[in-house]
Structures are given as C-alpha cells and as structure tokens.
Amino acid sequence: GSCLESVKIAIDTGYRHIDGAFVYYNEHEVGQAIREKIAEGKIKREDIFYCGKLWNTCHPPELVRPTLEKTLKILQLDYVDLYIIELPMAFKPGDAIYPKDENGKIIYHETDLCATWEAMEACKDAGLAKSIGVSNFNRRQLEMILNKPGLKYKPVSNQVECHPYFTQPKLLEFCRQHDIVIVGYSPLGTSRDETWVNVSSPPLLKDPVLNAIGKKYNKTAAQVALRFSIQRGVVVIPKSFNPQRIKENFQIFDFSLTEKEMKEIEALNKNVRYVELLM
C-alpha cells in the first residue's frame, strides 16, 4: 500500500516520470495510482512517462512481447512510454526470478542481445511501447546494438548507476555522441543494505562538499546531488516512500550550481559503484 500512496503523492507534487519494473512487484499499485489520478482529472495518461523493464529470465525473443503484455495487464494500461532491457545478461528462462542450481549459484542463459533487441523493436512497432532502451549496458554492449545490421530503432536511453561518487564520464560522453539519454539510478547513493550494496563507500549524503554547497543555497545535500546530475544532462530517478522527501527531491528547479561548484562535485568521483550487481 505504501507504493500506491507514494505514487499518488509524487503525481500531486508534479512528478511525471515513473520508473518501474516487473521485479519490483508493485506495478499493480503503480498502475492503480496512475488510473486514480486520471479519474480525478489531475492528469491525462499522456502526461505520465512510465518506464517498464524486461527481466533477465525473459531475453529469448519469443518471450519479449508476452512479458511486456503481462506488465501492461498488471498496470492495466495500453502501453508503456519506455521499455528497457534491465540487464545485459540473461538468466535461465522459467518461473523462478532468480533461477539457482543446487549450490545456490544463479543459472545463466546464453542469449543474443541483438535478437532480444529485434523483439523489443517489434513491441514498439506494435504500439505496446512508445520508446525502447537498455539498462546497465557498457559501451561495448551498446555498440553491439548500434552496429547491428538492419537496426530499426536505436536505444533512446541507458539506465545506469550515476551520482557524484560515480559520475560515468566516459559512458556519458559516448551516449551523448549517439543521442542516448543517461538515466541515473541511485542518484542519491543508496540504502546501506549489505546484501546488495557495497557499504565500503561512505554515504553520499554525508559528503562535506555537497553539504557545504547546500548550506549556501539553503538546500539539502540530496537536492545538490540531484541538481548536479540534471545540469550534466542526466535524468534522475530518486526513490523515496517518505512524503516529505518526495516533495524535497522535486524542489531542485529554483537554483543552479555554478561552473566552479559543478567542478568541485565532479572531483568527488571515486569511480566505485554502490550497486555492484554481484548476481
């Protein structure tokens, strides 16, 4: 229920881009929140930009469209605005989200990303997704798609971890050259959950530089971190269930950072990920 409420608060606050995924197990709540806000007359469907994701067990081309159709059924929407391949590696297809062998190791699946991409293109042609993109792809994997013979649509976006401690300058530059938008997840760093987070890096929001710049503008370290990304042309998708923070994360359009401040924040880059994707 907290997801339903959070999305409604976000829409009321002014958010229009909602980043979702089948594996978040909350698309039914997200869809309900969107539909309720449409019914209230607060928004129209075309005001919302919803991103859905193709999970690792669904890479075989024949599974791509049925998987997206399942997502649409859960959301009770006719289309998603963006559909992305969540990770460039595939897991064994089947009902298990994280298929494991008897030793508890993930069972991978050999896959042809170009064939998966062609199935994504077919979803766009069918009107089930307005745009298609990727996530967690490196330059080599992007080039494989971009150089694919008979490419119909190139990825419009690449969703990757991106924040002041992990600024991704080379990937950002490569994507700029190819008109691929970088969508930065964990733009505020991330939770300190040791099961999936590298906690050897200090919490981003405790950073003295971000806090000092924040003081100058009467903003939080989080607002400074988000503003930094936006000024670099990176789309941010901060996650929060806290109504106060949801509103705070949106209040970044009434100030801008100087060139000197941007350079100071860029210098914080440690080139270390919080989300190491150990799977």
Side-chain angles (χ1 to χ4, degrees), residues 83-206:
Y83 198 53
I84 63 180
I85 300 174
E86 190 156 354
L87 281 153
M89 74 284 289
F91 295 168
K92 180 188 163 198
D95 292 332
I97 295 287
Y98 295 97
K100 289 179 178 167
D101 63 18
E102 59 277 8
N103 303 315
K105 293 265 187 284
I106 292 270
I107 305 168
Y108 297 100
H109 185 70
E110 203 160 299
T111 187
D112 174 0
L113 279 175
C114 289
T116 306
W117 186 253
E118 283 171 12
M120 297 280 284
E121 291 179 323
C123 289
K124 175 170 159 63
D125 281 336
L128 302 176
K130 298 274 186 200
S131 295
I132 49 176
V134 295
S135 181
N136 297 302
F137 274 49
N138 61 25
R139 176 180 176 151
R140 186 178 57 82
Q141 291 152 344
L142 285 168
E143 281 177 337
M144 203 158 72
I145 305 277
L146 293 170
N147 300 330
K148 185 185 88 62
L151 180 72
K152 205 167 181 185
Y153 307 114
K154 61 182 190 183
V156 298
S157 60
N158 183 18
Q159 187 179 125
V160 293
E161 179 175 343
C162 193
H163 47 73
Y165 283 177
F166 193 58
T167 52
Q168 300 263 28
K170 285 182 178 169
L171 188 62
L172 186 58
E173 188 45 44
F174 176 79
C175 286
R176 271 198 193 123
Q177 289 165 4
H178 293 275
D179 282 331
I180 298 169
V181 175
I182 289 270
V183 177
Y185 66 73
S186 301
L188 303 174
T190 185
S191 76
R192 309 297 284 174
D193 180 342
E194 288 182 20
T195 59
W196 60 279
V197 172
N198 166 13
V199 291
S200 66
S201 254
L204 178 69
L205 300 184
K206 295 251 172 32

Side-chain angles (χ1 to χ4, degrees), residues 22 54-64 67 83 90-94 116:
F22 171 69
L54 180 78
W55 182 240
N56 314 0
T57 54
C58 310
H59 280 209
E62 67 279 5
L63 295 181
V64 173
T67 304
Y83 198 53
F91 295 168
K92 180 188 163 198
T116 306

